[in-house]
Amino acid sequence: MPYNYIRDIHTEYPFYQRMAKKLNGTKSNSTKEGREVYRVQCPACKEYQSYMFMGERKNTFMFKCFRDKCNLDSLPLHSLIRDYGDPDMFDEWRKKSYIKYENDWLPIKNRNKKATT
């Protein structure tokens, strides 16, 4: 069944804090876009040169590793939870962030009318 992703910063905020804790994050003294910034351990290179912060558009949280040798550059919170969070967290994330369409929607039909005579 198709899903529709709903991006809501208030729904994402508890997951932001949980993911920062999972990555051994410490709250930084600075803020970005009015929210706290966490210094976290990168799940790829295991170094503490990564940060989690509010995105510039203020519609999601972001993760960024500033280490040059790391192949993990930046990810939105959704991808970070999907790839590096535990399965229970991702299932909870999906239940709160996606709307599942039921079978009551009707797709547009192709109305190609050709003469059969």
Side-chain angles (χ1 to χ4, degrees):
M1 298 205 167
Y3 288 92
N4 188 19
Y5 178 63
I6 304 298
R7 186 171 277 176
D8 181 18
I9 202 70
H10 302 292
T11 303
E12 291 184 5
Y13 186 68
F15 292 98
Y16 169 66
Q17 292 178 320
R18 284 173 56 190
M19 201 64 200
K21 185 176 180 181
K22 181 175 175 55
L23 296 175
N24 302 319
T26 57
K27 194 181 287 191
S28 174
N29 291 335
S30 63
T31 61
K32 177 148 171 65
E33 306 298 336
R35 298 282 184 151
E36 68 270 11
V37 175
Y38 286 97
R39 183 176 183 177
V40 296
Q41 181 182 20
C42 178
C45 68
K46 306 297 184 203
E47 295 291 327
Y48 282 94
Q49 295 180 4
S50 306
Y51 290 90
M52 290 180 66
F53 51 90
M54 170 76 82
E56 291 180 6
R57 294 184 186 173
K58 296 183 181 182
N59 62 354
T60 191
F61 294 98
M62 298 294 294
F63 166 86
K64 180 155 180 71
C65 183
F66 289 94
R67 194 160 177 252
D68 290 335
K69 295 181 180 180
C70 183
N71 60 359
L72 187 63
D73 183 32
S74 65
L75 293 172
L77 182 62
H78 170 75
S79 299
L80 188 67
I81 291 172
R82 182 191 65 215
D83 297 341
Y84 298 103
D86 55 8
D88 293 334
M89 184 188 295
F90 182 70
D91 287 341
E92 187 180 344
W93 166 268
R94 191 172 54 183
K95 287 178 185 175
K96 292 190 179 198
S97 299
Y98 285 88
I99 293 177
K100 186 177 183 181
Y101 288 115
E102 300 298 329
N103 288 334
D104 60 349
W105 65 284
L106 300 173
I108 298 172
K109 295 180 180 181
N110 186 3
R111 296 189 180 202
N112 189 3
K113 295 182 180 180
K114 292 183 179 178
T116 57
T117 58

